[in-house]
């Protein structure tokens, strides 16, 4: 794969943490921590994925203070509108200035029975609404033992992209289930091998251009102490961070990975 110009994306998935007041305080503090550290915003894109109930408050703050963070949501409905109690449509999210939406996170696959078909329908719903789907895939410890690291995530990604047009803007997040919240991250070379395999899936499901421009993130126990080693890998274009995104100094240090990549 040629040398690319993919802008790294550091994304914080807050999961079901931080109410709207805590969200505002966290985003403000993150912004000032990065500013105080002299962080220049252009070379890395930062995105936060708060719970739905926080999004309007975070949007208002980001707009008012011109904070250069992208806003993401953690899920959306596969439907555009109608009698779907409790669901949130892509159009509602777009209206709130949301750019990204996580789809198929392993916690939704596990606790909400989200199948590959539902994930595919949600990817299409996100694209219809003008959102960028962040397609989450990853193998369990059992899958790893039985099939190796790339087979299950590659299959999940191919199914998520079924019927998606090659010109679509998507992000892929490789999150081995065994690495999420465990403190046991994949090794950089494991992450690289799977991310490279996923890029091949992008080439066959979409096209070569999509494979070259699409960002593939690693997620699972990313911290300030290991981010640089992942970002040195050619096919890892950023990180989807859970627990460490709730700790402002830690997340700011992850965003500033260029300071310790040493290249
Ligand atoms: P941790 O960073 O807490 O392992 O979570 C990763 C994750 O699930 C991000 O979506």
């Amino acid at each position: 794969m040629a040398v690319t110009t993919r802008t790294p994306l550091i994304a914080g998935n807050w999961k079901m943490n931080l109410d709207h007041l805590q969200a505002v305080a966290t985003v403000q503090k993150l912004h000032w921590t990065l500013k105080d550290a002299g962080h220049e915003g252009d070379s890395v894109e930062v995105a936060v994925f708060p719970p739905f109930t926080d999004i309007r408050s975070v949007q208002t703050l980001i707009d008012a203070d011109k904070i250069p963070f992208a806003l993401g949501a953690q899920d959306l409905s596969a439907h555009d509108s109608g009698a779907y109690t409790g669901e949130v449509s892509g159009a509602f999210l777009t209206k709130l200035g949301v750019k990204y939406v996580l789809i198929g996170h392993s916690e939704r696959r596990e606790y909400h029975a989200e199948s590959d078909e539902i994930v595919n329908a949600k990817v299409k719903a996100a694209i219809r609404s003008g959102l960028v789907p962040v397609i989450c895939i990853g193998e369990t410890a059992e899958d790893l033992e039985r099939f190796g690291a790339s087979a299950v995530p590659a299959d999940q990604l191919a199914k998520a992209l079924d019927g998606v047009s090659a010109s679509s803007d998507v992000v892929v997040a490789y999150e081995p289930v065994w690495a999420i919240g465990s403190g046991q991250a994949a090794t950089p070379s494991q992450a690289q091998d799977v991310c490279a395999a996923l890029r091949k899936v992008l080439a066959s499901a979409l096209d070569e251009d999509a494979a070259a421009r699409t960002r593939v993130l690693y997620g699972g126990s990313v911290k300030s102490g290991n981010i640089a080693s992942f970002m040195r890998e050619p096919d890892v274009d950023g990180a989807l961070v859970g627990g460490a995104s709730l700790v402002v100094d830690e997340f700011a240090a992850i965003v500033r990975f260029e300071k310790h990549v040493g290249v």
Side-chain angles (χ1 to χ4, degrees):
M1 197 63 57
V3 177
T4 65
T5 55
R6 296 184 293 268
T7 303
L9 173 60
I10 301 293
N13 174 12
W14 295 357
K15 308 191 179 183
M16 200 172 71
N17 295 290
L18 307 181
D19 64 33
H20 71 289
L21 299 175
Q22 294 166 323
V24 165
T26 300
V27 169
Q28 254 163 345
K29 191 170 170 218
L30 178 63
H31 178 51
W32 284 107
T33 302
L34 288 169
K35 269 201 137 178
D36 285 350
H39 177 73
E40 301 285 346
D42 299 350
S43 55
V44 180
E45 185 179 11
V46 179
V48 290
F49 291 73
F52 285 133
T53 50
D54 300 358
I55 289 177
R56 175 65 176 150
S57 306
V58 174
Q59 179 208 23
T60 305
L61 169 67
I62 283 175
D63 284 357
D65 290 6
K66 301 192 169 40
I67 296 177
F69 302 162
L71 195 46
Q74 297 176 17
D75 185 30
L76 87 170
S77 174
H79 307 283
D80 293 337
S81 68
Y84 300 103
T85 300
E87 297 251 53
V88 173
S89 77
F92 296 164
L93 297 173
T94 313
K95 195 92 174 174
L96 285 168
V98 170
K99 176 174 179 186
Y100 295 108
V101 60
L102 300 182
I103 298 179
H105 191 282
S106 65
E107 287 149 19
R108 293 212 60 86
R109 291 180 192 259
E110 183 177 354
Y111 306 133
H112 300 272
E114 286 199 4
S115 62
D116 289 323
E117 291 68 32
I118 292 173
V119 169
N120 177 246
K122 289 188 172 189
V123 167
K124 289 172 174 162
I127 293 168
R128 271 200 307 280
S129 303
L131 296 163
V132 179
V134 178
I135 302 168
C136 303
I137 70 250
E139 81 288 359
T140 62
E142 198 194 333
D143 295 333
L144 180 65
E145 208 158 284
R146 288 183 62 194
F147 309 113
S150 350
V152 167
D155 182 58
Q156 288 172 332
L157 181 58
K159 288 177 172 152
L161 291 172
D162 185 44
V164 169
S165 107
S167 61
S168 304
D169 203 1
V170 304
V171 172
V172 175
Y174 167 53
E175 298 202 300
V177 179
W178 49 268
I180 294 177
S182 67
Q184 166 96 61
T187 66
S189 74
Q190 277 175 318
Q192 165 58 26
D193 287 352
V194 179
C195 290
L198 295 172
R199 211 174 286 290
K200 291 203 177 107
V201 175
L202 287 165
S204 57
L206 302 176
D207 61 21
E208 287 291 344
D209 183 61
R213 73 167 187 273
T214 297
R215 289 169 297 178
V216 181
L217 316 182
Y218 168 75
S221 297
V222 171
K223 303 185 186 67
S224 62
N226 60 21
I227 183 68
S229 61
F230 289 112
M231 296 307 291
R232 277 192 207 104
E233 298 294 342
D235 284 295
V236 179
D237 304 315
L240 182 55
V241 185
S245 73
L246 302 170
V247 183
V248 169
D249 289 334
E250 182 65 7
F251 191 59
I254 293 170
V255 170
R256 297 178 69 240
F257 71 87
E258 285 165 317
K259 293 284 165 223
H260 36 117
V261 164
V263 287

